[in-house]
């Protein structure tokens, strides 16, 4: 969200000074210097040459303002040059970027350098249709990284300077240093949760010990094979034991990469474990030690689940993929939960366990998505377009002794909209519909949060199993001001805190058939009016901490709290109107 010195808003953020004029490549140009009007805004300082007749930028060199509210970067310099080609069009000919990354001032860091040059421009010539197939901006051929030194010496637009040659030698050398290897191992352990030991990765470390109301103290040991074992095949497994329930839990899986172009994976998995239903996909794992330590209420709404699944995934083009999954689940309630439901229309037989088999087709599309790839895995760095996800689920009655047939459709759209210079807004719109008569754990149990950690994908003031629907639509929206207001307050400026506001709302309903199937129709609440919560907070505290203050606007009256106690017991913690949540995040 930096403001460009040549943007329409430039005069609001920069002061300009005319310094010089000269002929450059037979073009008369003027040199202008620019600098920020106010401290700590996301601006640059530098100068540029502009042509006198076309007003095109001939060359610009700039660096970020020294006090800009940005993390992990000590300095950044940019140089861009443009050429007037064949008297027809100004085209970029060079683009150089140097970034000095540093975790703290005067601490260890590294310099990232990127140089790009362009030549051989062609105008008004036919273009093959093959150029427009696919979504990649840049296509990298398979053997690009296996070319010889002689090839690069001939193919480069400019030869390497002595300093650049030394950088290649330095990178190769530093990888062999024990101190550097230890540094990389620590960072990898922190972000992935796994410690690599030869062909095996031990972890995740945060699941070795945890505790809850059903299992008591829980111990777990597990891991997976590393890329040293294979970049195509990954084996994983774990074994856990609860002191209180004296039960072993276990699970394992196999994942295999069938091909890289197109990317295709297949896998199978099995687990028998205790699980918290009603969490978001973003929530900490059930047996994460942080989940145990920072709960707002005892973990007594758990489910024993035995799961068998197989899946196949293909990415047709970057950003567009499908995944087919066949899953069989057996659920048994634990703690204060009760799944009791009638198994016949006469309501003469009752069952308190659930057996379901599902065939699902998941589709994800993100136009022009980009990735940073490793030997096997990769990380998405997003796109300028919204992400669209559609999931269709078909319940298969009598398959592997499944009890129900039903259908589910879910549509989810999320995107980040930059509103310069006021920061950006991240939103998620989701809608779903379920056809069939099934017990409430198979319906849409709206994601709650019973911890003190902020969960962007859940309703943070809603408890688990509080609301259930078979059709719904929801909106999550958070606006990050990136310090737009606080940076203008002298006493707050040095802290570099950033303001955030948000709203989460959902509207839904439940059919009478899905309520009547239960022996206790009041086992949960349905949404008779929209559930809404709003928030305001501060992020970038000490560069890593975020704190949100949240107000729940609906379902907080005393009659509702009494009904909630009747549902989950007197020891259950009833929903509150106000609360705070904290989270750790690494952002620029």
């Amino acid at each position: 969200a930096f403001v460009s010195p040549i943007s329409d808003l430039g005069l609001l953020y920069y002061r300009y000074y005319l310094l010089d004029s000269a002929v450059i490549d037979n073009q008369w140009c003027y040199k202008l210097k620019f600098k920020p009007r106010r401290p700590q805004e996301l601006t640059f300082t530098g100068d540029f040459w502009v042509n006198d007749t076309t007003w095109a930028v001939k060359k610009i060199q700039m660096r970020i303002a020294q006090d800009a509210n940005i993390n992990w970067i000590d300095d950044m310099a940019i140089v861009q040059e443009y050429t007037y080609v064949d008297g027809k069009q100004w085209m970029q000919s060079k683009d150089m970027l140097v970034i000095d990354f540093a975790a703290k001032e005067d601490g260890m860091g590294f310099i990232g350098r990127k140089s790009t040059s362009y030549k051989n421009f062609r105008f008004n010539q036919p273009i093959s249709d093959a150029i427009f197939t696919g979504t990649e901006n840049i296509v990298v051929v398979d053997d690009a990284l296996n070319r010889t030194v002689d090839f690069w010496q001939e193919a480069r637009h400019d030869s390497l300077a002595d300093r650049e040659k030394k950088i290649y030698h330095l990178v190769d050398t530093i990888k062999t240093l024990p101190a550097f290897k230890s540094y990389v191992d620590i960072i990898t352990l922190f972000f992935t949760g796994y410690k690599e030991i030869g062909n095996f990765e031990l972890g995740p470390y945060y699941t070795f010990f945890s505790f809850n109301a059903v299992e008591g103290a829980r111990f777990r040991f597990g891991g997976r094979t590393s890329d040293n074992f294979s970049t195509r095949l990954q084996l994983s497994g774990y074994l856990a034991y609860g002191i209180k329930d004296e039960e072993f839990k276990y699970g394992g899986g196999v994942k295999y990469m069938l091909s890289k172009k197109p990317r295709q994976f297949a896998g199978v998995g099995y687990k028998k474990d205790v699980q918290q239903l009603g969490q978001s996909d973003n929530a900490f794992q059930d047996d994460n030690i942080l989940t145990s330590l920072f709960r707002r209420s005892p973990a007594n709404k758990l489910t024993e689940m035995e799961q068998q699944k197989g899946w196949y995934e293909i990415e047709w083009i970057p950003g567009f993929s499908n995944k087919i999954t066949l899953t069989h689940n057996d659920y048994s309630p634990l703690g204060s939960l009760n799944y009791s439901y009638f198994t016949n229309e006469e309501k003469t037989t009752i069952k308190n366990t659930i057996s379901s088999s599902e065939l699902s087709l998941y589709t994800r599309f993100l136009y022009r998505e980009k990735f940073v790839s490793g030997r096997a895995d990769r990380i998405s760095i997003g796109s300028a377009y919204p992400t669209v996800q559609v999931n269709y689920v078909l319940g298969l009655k009598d398959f592997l002794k499944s009890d129900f047939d039903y259908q589910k459709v879910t549509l989810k759209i999320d995107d980040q909209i930059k509103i310069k210079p006021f920061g950006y807004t991240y939103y998620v719109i989701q809608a779903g519909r379920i056809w069939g008569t099934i017990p409430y754990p198979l319906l849409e149990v709206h994601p709650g949060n019973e911890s003190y950690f902020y969960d962007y994908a859940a309703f943070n003031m809603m408890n688990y199993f509080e609301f259930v629907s078979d059709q719904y639509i929801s909106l999550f929206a958070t606006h990050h001001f990136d310090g737009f207001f606080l940076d203008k307050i002298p006493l707050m400026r040095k802290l570099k805190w950033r303001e955030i506001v948000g709203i989460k709302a959902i509207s839904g309903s439940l059919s009478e058939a899905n309520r009547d199937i239960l022996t206790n129709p009041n086992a949960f609440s349905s949404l008779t009016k929209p559930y809404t919560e709003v928030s305001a907070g501060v992020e970038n505290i000490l560069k890593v901490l975020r704190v949100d203050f949240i107000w729940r606007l609906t379902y907080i009256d005393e009659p509702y709290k009494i009904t909630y106690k009747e549902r989950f017991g007197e020891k259950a913690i009833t929903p509150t109107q106000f609360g705070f949540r904290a989270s750790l995040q690494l952002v620029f």
Side-chain angles (χ1 to χ4, degrees):
F2 275 74
V3 179
S4 169
I6 62 169
S7 76
D8 294 338
L9 298 175
L11 288 172
L12 297 177
Y13 289 86
Y14 294 96
R15 299 183 188 277
Y16 297 88
Y17 305 88
L18 180 60
L19 299 183
D20 197 1
S21 60
V23 175
I24 305 177
D25 295 336
N26 297 320
Q27 300 284 339
W28 187 262
C29 301
Y30 292 96
K31 183 179 183 180
L32 283 84
K33 176 183 177 181
F34 53 89
K35 67 178 184 179
R37 286 184 175 272
R38 292 170 295 274
Q40 208 161 305
E41 292 183 330
L42 298 181
T43 51
F44 299 95
T45 180
D47 58 70
F48 61 84
W49 289 88
V50 59
N51 178 241
D52 70 331
T53 54
T54 62
W55 312 113
V57 172
K58 172 63 179 174
K59 180 179 180 180
I60 185 170
Q61 49 189 11
M62 59 187 181
R63 62 196 330 140
I64 60 173
Q66 288 296 313
D67 55 358
N69 190 346
I70 188 170
N71 298 327
W72 322 117
I73 292 180
D74 191 54
D75 194 11
M76 179 173 72
I78 300 170
V79 177
Q80 295 180 345
E81 296 182 10
Y82 298 83
T83 302
Y84 199 52
V85 182
D86 297 336
K88 298 177 180 179
Q89 181 68 45
W90 284 93
M91 304 296 296
Q92 187 177 36
S93 56
K94 287 188 177 181
D95 183 10
M96 291 175 282
L97 174 67
V98 180
I99 304 179
D100 184 358
F101 295 91
K104 63 178 182 178
E105 294 183 7
D106 302 324
M108 178 180 285
F110 65 92
I111 293 177
R113 182 187 300 268
K114 180 178 78 73
S115 299
T116 309
S117 61
Y118 305 88
K119 67 179 182 180
N120 298 332
F121 299 103
R122 292 182 296 175
F123 299 96
N124 301 324
Q125 296 183 19
I127 299 176
S128 169
D129 292 339
I131 295 294
F132 302 100
T133 60
T135 61
E136 299 98 330
N137 288 327
I138 299 175
V139 179
V140 181
V141 296
D142 293 336
D143 61 345
L145 300 180
N146 300 321
R147 301 283 184 161
T148 64
V149 174
D150 293 338
F151 169 84
W152 289 114
Q153 288 179 345
E154 181 179 348
R156 282 194 179 94
H157 294 188
D158 294 321
S159 59
L160 290 177
D162 289 340
R163 182 179 180 181
E164 292 171 326
K165 293 178 182 178
K166 292 178 181 179
I167 290 176
Y168 278 90
H169 177 70
L170 175 64
V171 170
D172 291 336
T173 302
I174 201 171
K175 290 179 180 179
T176 64
L177 299 179
F180 178 78
K181 290 183 177 180
S182 298
Y183 191 68
V184 171
D185 288 344
I186 293 173
I187 294 176
T188 302
L189 178 64
F190 178 78
F191 282 103
T192 68
Y194 288 88
K195 168 62 178 176
E196 184 175 312
I197 306 174
N199 293 334
F200 186 75
E201 292 182 354
L202 181 65
Y205 65 87
Y206 45 75
T207 63
F208 288 158
F209 173 75
S210 60
F211 55 89
N212 58 62
V214 173
E215 297 177 279
R218 172 187 167 108
F219 299 89
R220 167 174 160 160
F221 179 83
R224 64 190 184 189
T225 55
S226 67
D227 288 348
N228 296 325
F229 174 79
S230 173
T231 57
R232 286 185 175 270
L233 176 65
Q234 183 183 81
L235 309 176
S236 61
Y238 72 91
L239 177 67
Y241 182 77
I243 299 297
K244 184 177 179 179
D245 63 356
E246 299 180 342
E247 293 284 344
F248 281 101
K249 295 88 180 177
Y250 43 87
V254 179
K255 176 181 177 182
Y256 185 73
M257 177 188 287
L258 300 171
S259 66
K260 288 188 176 181
K261 287 189 176 182
R263 286 176 66 89
Q264 295 184 78
F265 293 88
V268 294
Y270 173 85
K271 72 174 181 179
K272 184 177 182 180
D273 206 342
V274 172
Q275 185 167 327
Q276 175 68 69
L277 301 181
Q279 284 184 321
S280 76
D281 294 335
N282 181 63
F284 284 137
Q285 286 184 227
D286 304 327
D287 50 1
N288 189 317
I289 182 59
L290 295 178
T291 303
S292 302
L293 292 174
F294 295 98
R295 287 187 180 274
R296 295 186 292 112
S297 58
N300 60 355
K301 305 174 189 174
L302 301 177
T303 296
E304 182 181 64
M305 183 175 72
E306 184 175 6
Q307 181 183 83
Q308 307 151 57
K309 72 175 182 179
W311 54 272
Y312 166 76
E313 182 177 7
I314 181 171
E315 183 181 65
W316 305 100
I317 57 176
F320 179 52
S321 61
N322 284 119
K323 185 175 183 179
I324 300 175
T325 307
L326 179 61
T327 309
H328 178 78
N329 292 318
D330 291 309
Y331 301 93
S332 300
L334 300 173
S336 61
L337 289 183
N338 185 353
Y339 294 166
S340 296
Y341 61 93
F342 296 108
T343 60
N344 58 354
E345 295 182 1
E346 294 77 16
K347 298 184 178 182
T348 56
T349 57
I350 297 174
K351 194 175 181 180
N352 195 33
T353 60
I354 298 172
S355 181
S356 70
S357 296
E358 296 180 346
L359 179 65
S360 66
L361 174 62
Y362 170 75
T363 302
R364 180 182 179 275
F365 179 61
L366 177 54
Y367 184 60
R368 292 197 180 278
E369 185 176 16
K370 298 179 181 179
F371 302 89
V372 175
S373 299
R375 285 191 291 173
D377 294 328
R378 63 182 184 176
I379 299 173
S380 171
I381 56 176
S383 166
Y385 300 89
T387 303
V388 179
Q389 301 172 69
V390 180
N391 193 34
Y392 172 77
V393 177
L394 176 65
L396 305 173
K397 187 176 182 179
D398 297 328
F399 181 76
L400 298 178
K401 299 182 179 180
S402 173
D403 297 326
F404 305 98
D405 54 0
Y406 52 89
Q407 298 181 69
K408 300 181 182 180
V409 175
T410 305
L411 170 65
K412 181 179 179 181
I413 301 174
D414 64 276
D415 192 17
Q416 178 176 296
I417 303 175
K418 295 181 180 179
I419 309 175
K420 300 178 181 181
F422 305 104
Y424 66 93
T425 297
Y426 175 73
Y427 73 86
V428 180
I429 299 174
Q430 183 168 325
R433 179 75 166 92
I434 300 173
W435 294 269
T437 303
I438 50 180
Y440 71 90
L442 298 180
L443 297 172
E444 179 62 26
V445 181
H446 298 303
N449 181 11
E450 294 189 4
S451 75
Y452 287 104
F453 288 104
Y454 180 83
D455 185 349
Y456 77 87
F459 297 96
N460 287 279
M461 297 301 292
M462 182 188 295
N463 291 342
Y464 298 138
F465 288 101
E466 194 173 341
F467 296 102
V468 176
S469 301
D470 54 26
Q471 59 180 351
Y472 65 95
I473 184 169
S474 66
L475 169 67
F476 291 6
T478 304
H479 185 77
H480 301 251
F481 284 99
D482 282 344
F484 181 82
F485 297 106
L486 294 180
D487 285 349
K488 295 173 175 57
I489 302 175
L491 295 179
M492 300 294 296
R493 186 176 295 149
K494 290 186 177 182
L495 296 174
K496 294 190 175 182
W497 290 0
R498 303 170 186 171
E499 324 84 332
I500 45 177
V501 295
I503 181 172
K504 296 183 178 182
I506 184 167
S507 178
S509 63
L510 184 71
S511 66
E512 288 300 321
N514 281 324
R515 185 181 294 277
D516 290 344
I517 192 176
L518 301 177
T519 60
N520 177 16
N522 296 319
F524 56 86
S525 291
S526 56
L527 292 164
T528 57
K529 58 183 178 181
Y531 171 92
T532 309
E533 62 183 43
V534 295
S535 63
V538 176
E539 60 183 346
N540 207 44
I541 301 173
L542 301 176
K543 294 185 179 181
V544 296
L545 182 62
R546 167 177 170 173
V547 177
D548 288 79
F549 299 91
I550 308 171
W551 291 263
R552 175 169 168 160
L553 303 182
T554 53
Y555 299 97
I556 53 174
D557 54 274
E558 199 60 33
Y560 177 79
K561 292 182 179 180
I562 294 174
T563 303
Y564 186 89
K565 286 284 188 181
E566 293 174 350
R567 187 182 310 130
F568 295 108
E570 287 299 321
K571 294 183 179 181
I573 298 178
T574 56
T576 57
Q577 183 176 8
F578 173 78
F580 76 92
R581 303 290 181 268
S583 60
L584 297 175
Q585 57 184 19
L586 293 173
V587 294
F588 283 105

